[in-house]
Amino acid sequence: MEGAMKCVKFLFFFFNFIFWLCGLALIIVGVLARTAITRIPAIQEVASTAAPIVIIVVGAVIFLIAFFGCCGAWKDNYCMVTTFVILLSIIIIVEIGIAIAAYVLKGKVEDLTEKVVQEMMKNYTTNPTVQKNLDELQKELKCCGAVNSSDWAFFKPDKNSVPDSCCKNISVNCGAGALKDANKIYTEGCRAAAEDFIRKNILWVGVAALVIAFIEILGVVFGCTLMSGIRKGYEVM
């Protein structure tokens, strides 16, 4: 039994090291996700209440809990190991919530992007700030219009021009007469482009949270086993 408990203790230390790395990874992922989202003016409204901040906080907490768990195992302290298991279980629940939030956020951002872009297009020629933000959005997402480039048919009297920010190679008046010229401009609308952006930068955050939660469940199992051993008075050192 002593040998088994020593093995559990070793695995507990190993998983705490993994938790430490997971915490660090979540902090980095949260910062990157937050930065990526807030680069896009049209989805900053959602980003301000979305998962990235929670991810950063959870990462920091995991980072500290891992150290706390190691101390409890090293000292065979039942109270510390129990606290570790309880806190880690709470973190797992939070991470599952983050994954669900990431999925829900997907549809919300897509709808919001289309509506915001349509509103910005109406004020494009009269509001310099709106013009700048929409140009940045189209450059960043490599898109043109809300649904497609044809949304800009009202832009010029010839009904065949788009803003220069729609161009693949931006230059002065590059969008003139290029409404449907796929060789010169991006014809995909910003809603579809936002969907691609989310798929690459948001959904994988939710998947990462679920994977990390699965790893942490193993840590909870080892923690509970170690708690049992300490409580029964086995020599685990």
Side-chain angles (χ1 to χ4, degrees):
M1 182 64 72
E2 282 187 31
M5 292 308 300
K6 285 181 179 179
C7 181
V8 169
K9 187 171 182 178
F10 171 78
L11 289 173
F12 190 70
F13 271 107
F14 172 75
F15 275 100
N16 268 285
F17 177 70
I18 299 298
F19 297 151
W20 183 83
L21 293 179
C22 287
L24 183 61
L26 281 175
I27 293 173
I28 295 173
V29 166
V31 171
L32 292 177
R34 177 71 176 174
T35 301
I37 292 174
T38 52
R39 284 204 316 266
I40 312 302
I43 61 176
Q44 287 182 1
E45 179 182 335
V46 174
S48 63
T49 58
I53 293 298
V54 178
I55 293 174
I56 295 172
V57 173
V58 169
V61 172
I62 289 178
F63 192 87
L64 295 176
I65 288 178
F67 177 76
F68 185 77
C70 284
C71 290
W74 180 260
K75 296 181 179 181
D76 289 341
N77 188 303
Y78 180 81
C79 182
M80 292 181 70
V81 176
T82 301
T83 302
F84 167 84
V85 171
I86 292 173
L87 292 177
L88 192 57
S89 298
I90 294 173
I91 291 298
I92 291 172
I93 294 173
V94 172
E95 287 174 344
I96 293 174
I98 291 174
I100 295 174
Y103 179 79
V104 173
L105 181 63
K106 176 180 178 292
K108 186 176 180 181
V109 171
E110 290 170 14
D111 293 338
L112 178 64
T113 299
E114 182 176 345
K115 293 177 181 178
V116 170
V117 170
Q118 289 173 342
E119 188 62 31
M120 294 172 79
M121 289 174 67
K122 294 178 182 178
N123 301 300
Y124 185 82
T125 58
T126 59
N127 190 320
T129 300
V130 169
Q131 184 179 92
K132 178 182 177 181
N133 287 339
L134 185 51
D135 284 340
E136 289 178 356
L137 174 66
Q138 293 190 144
K139 290 176 185 177
E140 186 70 34
L141 295 184
K142 297 181 179 179
C143 60
C144 188
V147 179
N148 54 53
S149 59
S150 296
D151 293 339
W152 284 109
F154 71 91
F155 182 56
K156 296 289 184 181
D158 63 6
K159 300 185 182 299
N160 193 39
S161 298
V162 296
D164 294 341
S165 57
C166 287
C167 296
K168 295 180 179 179
N169 297 302
I170 298 177
S171 61
V172 178
N173 293 324
C174 63
L179 184 67
K180 297 182 179 180
D181 190 345
N183 293 320
K184 295 180 63 176
I185 68 169
Y186 296 105
T187 56
E188 181 182 62
C190 291
R191 176 187 171 90
E195 183 178 355
D196 292 336
F197 173 84
I198 295 166
R199 187 181 298 114
K200 295 176 183 177
N201 295 280
I202 299 297
L203 294 185
W204 62 274
V205 174
V207 173
L210 286 176
V211 171
I212 292 173
F214 174 75
I215 295 174
E216 289 168 346
I217 289 173
L218 295 179
V220 170
V221 172
F222 285 119
C224 290
T225 305
L226 186 59
M227 286 165 51
S228 178
I230 294 174
R231 184 176 56 192
K232 292 177 181 178
Y234 290 125
E235 179 60 46
V236 295
M237 293 297 292

